[in-house]
Amino acid sequence: MSRAFPAATPMMDPDRLVTFGDAVIAIAITLLALDITVPEGLADGEVGAALRDALPKFGAYLLSFAVIGALWLGQHALFRQIAALDNWLLRLYLALLAVVAALPFPTRLISEYGNTAVATSVYAATIVLAVGLLTAMSARLWASPALAKPTVHPAQIRQSVLRGLLTVFVFATSIPVSLASPTAAKYWWLLTVPARLLFRETSTSDHEQPTAAVE
């Protein structure tokens, strides 16, 4: 009995797919910057006040730039481990790109209504979804070692999964925190720094075993 969906998609080159992802990410970052504006035709004495009013937009831009940058680095680290794609990896990655492309919206939301629980929760939920999808890709690779390059040790993939799960946990738990204090929820996001340091990516050379030696 033939399968409706093949387990792997050999005709899809991982390098071409990640190049497409780079283009999507570049566009998303560009759209973030376009939101930083000041009104036209201001008098000299109004420029300073307009710049102060733009600070929340600039802060939201920096935050989302850091998030997208981390996702970009994460995707390249993941694709360095992938030898072949299957339908799960392909669909998860396309879903990830869809979330990244939509990130300018929650960024604009938090820049204008960052003192509200709704805007803070929507932003956190978007990050949970994006990091969750990237982590799911690592989990898929961990569960299907045949999709990984021979030189990739399972411990490296496991570290990526654990690092992603910790990041998801931090942003997910910030949502109930935001109901009490949106400001506290934003500081809560800083916990991702020590959380990620707990599972630093181990050097590939530490795990690699020459194929000849294994054989």
Side-chain angles (χ1 to χ4, degrees), residues 15-174:
D15 291 337
R16 292 186 64 183
L17 185 61
V18 79
T19 299
F20 169 67
D22 286 344
V24 173
I25 289 173
I27 293 172
I29 287 179
T30 302
L31 292 177
L32 292 178
L34 293 179
D35 281 337
I36 305 176
T37 60
V38 295
E40 298 180 358
L42 294 175
D44 292 347
E46 298 173 330
V47 175
L51 290 175
R52 286 192 296 271
D53 291 340
L55 285 178
K57 293 182 179 180
F58 187 71
Y61 162 77
L62 291 178
L63 174 62
S64 291
F65 186 94
V67 168
I68 294 179
L71 291 171
W72 178 73
L73 292 173
Q75 75 155 15
H76 277 273
L78 176 63
F79 273 85
R80 283 196 298 269
Q81 300 173 338
I82 294 176
L85 293 164
D86 67 355
N87 282 285
W88 276 108
L89 285 174
L90 182 59
R91 291 166 181 167
L92 288 169
Y93 187 60
L94 291 177
L96 171 62
L97 293 182
V99 176
V100 171
L103 193 57
F105 170 71
T107 301
R108 187 180 307 112
L109 193 64
I110 201 171
S111 70
E112 296 180 0
Y113 306 101
N115 59 340
T116 67
V118 173
T120 305
S121 297
V122 168
Y123 191 89
T126 304
I127 306 306
V128 167
L129 183 57
V131 178
L133 288 166
L134 188 62
T135 304
M137 292 181 67
S138 293
R140 175 61 179 171
L141 198 61
W142 188 18
S144 303
L147 300 174
K149 294 179 179 177
T151 55
V152 176
H153 196 279
Q156 293 175 266
I157 306 175
R158 184 177 67 249
Q159 284 178 328
S160 298
V161 172
L162 293 175
R163 199 163 51 241
L165 288 176
L166 278 173
T167 303
V168 168
F169 175 79
V170 170
F171 277 91
T173 53
S174 75

